[in-house]
Short mmCIF file of all heavy atoms in Angstrom, two decimals:
data_model
loop_
_atom_site.label_atom_id
_atom_site.label_comp_id
_atom_site.label_asym_id
_atom_site.label_seq_id
_atom_site.Cartn_x
_atom_site.Cartn_y
_atom_site.Cartn_z
N VAL A 6 0.37 14.17 4.59
CA VAL A 6 0.09 15.67 4.42
C VAL A 6 1.30 16.37 4.69
O VAL A 6 1.96 16.27 5.73
CB VAL A 6 -1.06 16.12 5.40
CG1 VAL A 6 -1.36 17.54 5.34
CG2 VAL A 6 -2.42 15.35 5.17
N ILE A 7 1.73 17.19 3.67
CA ILE A 7 3.10 17.92 3.79
C ILE A 7 2.94 19.28 3.97
O ILE A 7 3.92 20.04 4.16
CB ILE A 7 4.03 17.53 2.68
CG1 ILE A 7 3.38 17.95 1.18
CG2 ILE A 7 4.35 15.95 2.63
CD1 ILE A 7 4.46 17.87 0.13
N GLY A 8 1.77 19.84 3.82
CA GLY A 8 1.52 21.33 3.97
C GLY A 8 0.16 21.63 4.33
O GLY A 8 -0.79 20.94 3.92
N VAL A 9 0.00 22.55 5.19
CA VAL A 9 -1.33 23.12 5.65
C VAL A 9 -1.41 24.51 5.68
O VAL A 9 -0.47 25.31 5.70
CB VAL A 9 -1.59 22.55 7.04
CG1 VAL A 9 -1.68 21.04 7.11
CG2 VAL A 9 -0.62 23.06 8.09
N GLY A 10 -2.62 25.10 5.53
CA GLY A 10 -2.94 26.43 5.54
C GLY A 10 -4.22 26.75 6.07
O GLY A 10 -5.26 25.95 5.89
N MET A 11 -4.50 27.73 6.84
CA MET A 11 -5.72 28.07 7.47
C MET A 11 -5.93 29.61 7.51
O MET A 11 -5.02 30.31 7.73
CB MET A 11 -5.61 27.52 8.91
CG MET A 11 -7.07 27.44 9.55
SD MET A 11 -6.94 26.48 11.15
CE MET A 11 -6.42 27.70 12.31
N ASP A 28 -6.57 31.75 0.09
CA ASP A 28 -5.59 32.11 1.04
C ASP A 28 -5.05 30.90 1.76
O ASP A 28 -3.89 30.62 1.86
CB ASP A 28 -6.09 33.12 2.14
CG ASP A 28 -6.28 34.46 1.69
OD1 ASP A 28 -5.74 34.78 0.53
OD2 ASP A 28 -6.91 35.18 2.36
N ALA A 29 -6.00 29.94 2.08
CA ALA A 29 -5.59 28.74 2.80
C ALA A 29 -4.86 27.81 1.84
O ALA A 29 -3.83 27.24 2.26
CB ALA A 29 -6.80 27.98 3.34
N ALA A 30 -5.29 27.81 0.69
CA ALA A 30 -4.60 26.93 -0.31
C ALA A 30 -3.18 27.45 -0.62
O ALA A 30 -2.23 26.60 -0.75
CB ALA A 30 -5.37 26.88 -1.67
N TYR A 31 -3.07 28.68 -0.79
CA TYR A 31 -1.81 29.31 -1.13
C TYR A 31 -0.84 29.02 0.06
O TYR A 31 0.38 28.64 -0.09
CB TYR A 31 -1.87 30.76 -1.36
CG TYR A 31 -0.51 31.47 -1.43
CD1 TYR A 31 0.19 31.32 -2.60
CD2 TYR A 31 0.06 32.14 -0.36
CE1 TYR A 31 1.47 31.95 -2.70
CE2 TYR A 31 1.29 32.87 -0.49
CZ TYR A 31 1.97 32.72 -1.59
OH TYR A 31 3.22 33.29 -1.76
N CYS A 32 -1.25 29.18 1.32
CA CYS A 32 -0.48 29.04 2.54
C CYS A 32 0.00 27.53 2.62
O CYS A 32 1.07 27.22 2.98
CB CYS A 32 -1.22 29.41 3.69
SG CYS A 32 -1.37 31.15 4.00
N SER A 33 -0.94 26.53 2.18
CA SER A 33 -0.61 25.18 2.24
C SER A 33 0.56 24.86 1.22
O SER A 33 1.47 24.02 1.55
CB SER A 33 -1.77 24.30 2.02
OG SER A 33 -2.23 24.34 0.79
N LEU A 34 0.45 25.44 -0.04
CA LEU A 34 1.56 25.31 -0.91
C LEU A 34 2.86 25.75 -0.44
O LEU A 34 3.91 25.04 -0.45
CB LEU A 34 1.31 25.87 -2.23
CG LEU A 34 0.16 25.32 -3.15
CD1 LEU A 34 -0.13 26.20 -4.32
CD2 LEU A 34 0.48 23.87 -3.61
N LYS A 35 2.87 27.03 0.22
CA LYS A 35 3.97 27.60 0.71
C LYS A 35 4.57 26.74 1.93
O LYS A 35 5.79 26.54 1.97
CB LYS A 35 3.66 29.04 1.22
CG LYS A 35 4.93 29.81 1.71
CD LYS A 35 4.44 31.19 2.11
CE LYS A 35 5.62 31.95 2.67
NZ LYS A 35 5.27 33.32 3.08
N ASP A 36 3.70 26.23 2.86
CA ASP A 36 4.11 25.46 3.88
C ASP A 36 4.79 24.15 3.44
O ASP A 36 5.73 23.70 3.93
CB ASP A 36 2.90 25.11 4.77
CG ASP A 36 3.31 24.35 6.06
OD1 ASP A 36 4.23 24.76 6.72
OD2 ASP A 36 2.61 23.37 6.33
N ALA A 37 4.24 23.64 2.36
CA ALA A 37 4.81 22.30 1.77
C ALA A 37 6.15 22.54 0.93
O ALA A 37 6.82 21.64 0.74
CB ALA A 37 3.78 21.65 0.89
N GLY A 38 6.33 23.74 0.64
CA GLY A 38 7.50 24.17 -0.20
C GLY A 38 7.33 23.58 -1.56
O GLY A 38 8.44 23.27 -2.30
N ILE A 39 6.20 23.61 -2.19
CA ILE A 39 6.03 23.16 -3.52
C ILE A 39 5.27 24.22 -4.40
O ILE A 39 4.68 25.12 -3.79
CB ILE A 39 5.22 21.88 -3.66
CG1 ILE A 39 3.87 22.07 -3.07
CG2 ILE A 39 5.99 20.77 -3.04
CD1 ILE A 39 2.89 20.79 -3.23
N ASP A 40 5.34 24.17 -5.67
CA ASP A 40 4.72 25.15 -6.47
C ASP A 40 3.42 24.66 -7.00
O ASP A 40 3.03 23.46 -6.95
CB ASP A 40 5.58 25.69 -7.60
CG ASP A 40 6.04 24.62 -8.59
OD1 ASP A 40 5.47 23.51 -8.53
OD2 ASP A 40 6.94 24.89 -9.34
#
Side-chain angles (χ1 to χ4, degrees):
V6 175
I7 61 170
V9 297
M11 189 167 89
D28 285 349
Y31 174 78
C32 289
S33 66
L34 288 175
K35 187 175 176 183
D36 187 49
I39 60 176
D40 62 11

